């Protein structure tokens, strides 16, 4: 199936997430300690080590479900550790309050991130902008924050790439409007090698994708979605029948993620070179 539309994640997909998030992680950790009223450095490191030893067990908790693996990137890792510390100290027991506070801490700390792009980021964005293919960035970051970084990079044709921030890909919920395409997405799936369920019914994310489908008039199978985190970026598009490409980095994809992608044949791929996005889209790679 030909690709007629491109949807790109941003942080970790086009950015060097470990470099850019270093000051975020420090700011976020200090904010958590401030909230707890104590410097829990040893406990923070202990929980980080526990997550590293058991990557399939821990994750970003939202509404009582793990919605992304804890080790996926520094943003999720910091959030997951904070949640474990809150549990230990009995702080922010209410789910809604905890979520609101964590979101506030995330946005506060995100202002301290660096601007660090992956190799070929500018080249690939310029090629997509020049291709005529409708291209969108859909990210959990705020629209203005993502645009600020993109303008710093300065790819020619940036105005032809539409940026949708605050996508809330982590929210497992029903969309505001019923849609037959979304109704076929399973409530949860189990993957061999992963000891917990994956929840692809991300209603807020779907609403962004549905807007893009309506605006472009393309079918789901004609959309290529590129992201670096399977559960946040790719699980829902896969369930919708879209094409997907996982952009990998220093963190090798988990075995269950690779097995799933390879089971999809030509509809899915993974690799650490952003140029592979152009090859998947039928452009020069």
């Amino acid at each position: 199936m030909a690709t007629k539309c491109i949807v790109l994640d941003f942080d970790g997909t086009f950015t060097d997430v470990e470099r850019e998030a270093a000051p975020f992680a420090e700011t976020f950790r200090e904010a958590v300690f401030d909230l707890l009223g104590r410097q829990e450095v040893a406990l923070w490191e202990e929980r980080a080590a526990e997550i590293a030893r058991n990557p399939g067990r821990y994750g970003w908790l939202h509404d009582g479900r793990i919605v992304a693996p804890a080790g996926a990137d520094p943003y999720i890792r910091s959030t997951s550790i904070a949640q474990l510390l809150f549990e230990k100290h009995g702080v922010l027991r209410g789910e809604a309050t905890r979520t609101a506070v964590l979101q506030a801490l995330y946005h506060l700390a995100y202002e301290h991130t660096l601007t660090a792009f992956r190799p070929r980021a500018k080249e690939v964005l310029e090629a997509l902008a020049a291709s005529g293919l409708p291209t969108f960035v859909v990210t959990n970051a705020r629209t203005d924050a993502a645009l600020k970084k993109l303008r710093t990079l300065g790819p020619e044709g940036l105005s032809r790439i539409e940026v949708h921030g605050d996508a809330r890909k982590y929210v497992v919920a029903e969309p505001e409007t019923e849609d037959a395409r979304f109704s076929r997405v399973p409530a949860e799936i189990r993957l061999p090698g992963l000891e917990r369920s994956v929840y692809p019914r991300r209603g807020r994310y779907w609403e962004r994708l549905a807007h893009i489908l309506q605006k472009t008039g393309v079918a789901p199978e004609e959309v290529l979605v590129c992201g670096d985190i399977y559960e946040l970026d790719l699980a829902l598009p896969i369930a919708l029948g879209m094409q997907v490409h996982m952009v990998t980095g220093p963190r090798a994809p988990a075995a269950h993620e690779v097995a799933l992608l390879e089971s999809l044949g030509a509809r899915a791929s993974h690799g650490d070179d952003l140029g592979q996005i152009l090859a998947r889209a039928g452009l020069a790679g």
Side-chain angles (χ1 to χ4, degrees):
M1 176 64 67
T3 298
K4 296 184 179 179
C5 177
I6 308 286
V7 176
L8 308 168
D9 178 52
F10 186 64
D11 288 315
T13 298
F14 274 82
T15 67
D16 182 337
V17 71
E18 294 294 336
R19 284 179 56 207
E20 74 167 6
F24 166 94
E26 182 63 26
T27 301
F28 188 93
R29 188 178 77 159
E30 290 305 311
V32 170
F33 292 165
D34 190 21
L35 191 152
L36 292 174
R38 64 189 80 188
Q39 291 289 115
E40 290 279 20
V41 176
L43 183 59
W44 185 280
E45 295 301 328
E46 178 186 305
R47 294 296 185 267
E50 170 66 14
I51 287 171
R53 287 192 298 269
N54 301 279
R57 183 179 304 167
Y58 296 99
W60 179 2
L61 278 168
H62 185 79
D63 284 343
R65 302 181 182 92
I66 291 180
V67 297
D73 67 27
Y75 305 113
I76 298 175
R77 187 160 60 242
S78 297
T79 298
S80 300
I81 296 170
Q83 289 174 325
L84 292 174
L85 267 62
F86 292 157
E87 289 291 338
K88 179 174 178 58
H89 289 294
V91 174
L92 300 175
R93 292 190 180 94
E95 176 68 27
T97 303
R98 179 179 292 186
T99 297
V101 170
L102 284 171
Q103 279 297 101
L105 295 183
Y106 169 84
H107 288 303
L108 171 71
Y110 192 89
E111 294 299 318
H112 295 269
T113 59
L114 302 175
T115 300
F117 283 92
R118 295 172 66 121
R120 304 188 69 185
K122 184 175 183 180
E123 169 195 344
V124 170
L125 289 169
E126 288 180 338
L128 291 173
S131 72
L133 288 172
T135 301
F136 303 82
V137 170
V138 178
T139 175
N140 285 333
R142 287 175 172 160
T143 303
D144 57 349
L147 278 171
K148 181 179 178 180
K149 291 185 178 181
L150 285 167
R151 288 168 180 150
T152 299
L153 181 66
E156 186 175 343
L158 177 59
S159 62
R160 294 193 289 274
I161 297 175
E162 194 170 302
V163 179
H164 293 263
D166 198 24
R168 295 187 288 168
K169 300 178 187 180
Y170 53 87
V171 176
V172 179
E174 296 304 295
E176 295 293 330
T177 304
E178 290 187 15
D179 190 291
R181 294 167 294 185
F182 186 84
S183 68
R184 293 190 287 269
V185 175
E188 63 182 274
I189 58 177
R190 296 301 298 263
L191 300 178
L194 182 63
E195 57 188 282
R196 57 179 174 78
S197 295
V198 172
Y199 305 97
R201 291 181 72 86
R202 314 288 174 108
R204 304 290 84 78
Y205 186 19
W206 158 251
E207 287 163 354
R208 300 305 176 95
L209 295 175
H211 168 78
I212 290 169
L213 292 173
Q214 180 180 30
K215 181 170 184 174
T216 60
V218 303
E221 59 268 23
E222 296 172 321
V223 178
L224 172 62
V225 180
C226 305
D228 66 311
I229 301 175
Y230 158 67
E231 291 180 57
L232 288 181
D233 304 321
L234 306 180
L236 173 60
I238 288 171
L240 293 168
M242 295 176 175
Q243 305 169 52
V244 298
H245 178 73
M246 176 182 280
V247 178
T248 58
R251 179 192 69 90
H256 65 268
E257 296 173 343
V258 173
L260 172 64
L261 293 171
E262 292 181 348
S263 75
L264 297 174
R267 190 156 71 89
S269 56
H270 60 89
D272 62 359
D273 184 343
L274 286 178
Q276 292 168 308
I277 295 174
L278 302 181
R280 282 297 310 273
L283 308 170

